[in-house]
Amino acid sequence: MTLDDGLRPTHAAATQDAMAYVTIRIKGADGHSFNDLAKERLVLGRSSRTDLPIKHTSISREHCAFVREQDTWFVEDLGSSNGTWVNRDKVKGRQALKERDIVKVGHARLTFHAGARSAGDEVAVDIGLDDDPADAASGPVRTPGADDPPEAIPCAHCNAWFSIAHRSSGDHMDCPSCGKANTVPSMAL
């Protein structure tokens, strides 16, 4: 057992096998942060006493918890006022997380990532491009326009706009309006 910066005991050796992290973005704010899920249970909330404090009125004092059981990470709502959501589903009890699931907590969006974070992960999330153009996903390439909403695309079938935030080029997503499949394009800057 070791002590982390907050002088709380951690089980570093036990968590190495199931390391994970989240990318945190706040709606209406620029930028993002990364937080390692380095303990078996981490509470997220508005209170400074939580493991993952986010000071925003849309978030309860103790809103939700990230819990690791063996090699699986879960999120559970802690009776918050606004609820906890994974992708488009409200969390009832405990829900298992998979790579790139988006956990909605008030105005915060947390993208779950299995595995340890590396310097390359930060670059990939910041600019959304592959390091090697030869490895880039095939599919349509678009140039962002001055009037484009950030990180959103129009559906190829019904032209309704939907968010592609936290998604990689080549990912397949169903349009929330018409339900038809779309491919996240590569961005040409």
Side-chain angles (χ1 to χ4, degrees), residues 39-59:
K39 296 178 5 180
E40 291 187 28
R41 179 180 172 85
L42 292 101
V43 174
L44 178 146
R46 191 177 69 236
S47 170
S48 59
R49 294 182 179 167
T50 61
D51 302 298
L52 297 171
I54 300 176
K55 303 281 187 192
H56 197 278
T57 56
S58 66
I59 298 172

Side-chain angles (χ1 to χ4, degrees), residues 71-154:
D71 291 334
T72 303
W73 281 93
F74 297 87
V75 66
E76 61 184 29
D77 186 76
L78 300 176
S80 64
S81 299
N82 295 324
T84 301
W85 303 73
V86 174
N87 301 319
R88 297 194 177 274
D89 301 319
K90 188 168 186 176
V91 173
K92 296 176 184 152
R94 183 181 281 192
Q95 183 166 335
L97 295 171
K98 61 185 183 309
E99 181 66 23
R100 287 198 218 128
D101 271 347
I102 298 173
V103 178
K104 179 183 170 191
V105 177
H107 287 178
R109 304 297 181 270
L110 297 90
T111 305
F112 174 80
H113 301 280
R117 183 165 49 101
S118 67
D121 291 335
E122 293 183 27
V123 172
V125 171
D126 280 343
I127 62 174
L129 297 175
D130 295 328
D131 292 334
D132 183 359
D135 292 337
S138 61
V141 175
R142 71 178 188 94
T143 303
D147 296 328
D148 281 359
E151 299 181 319
I153 62 170

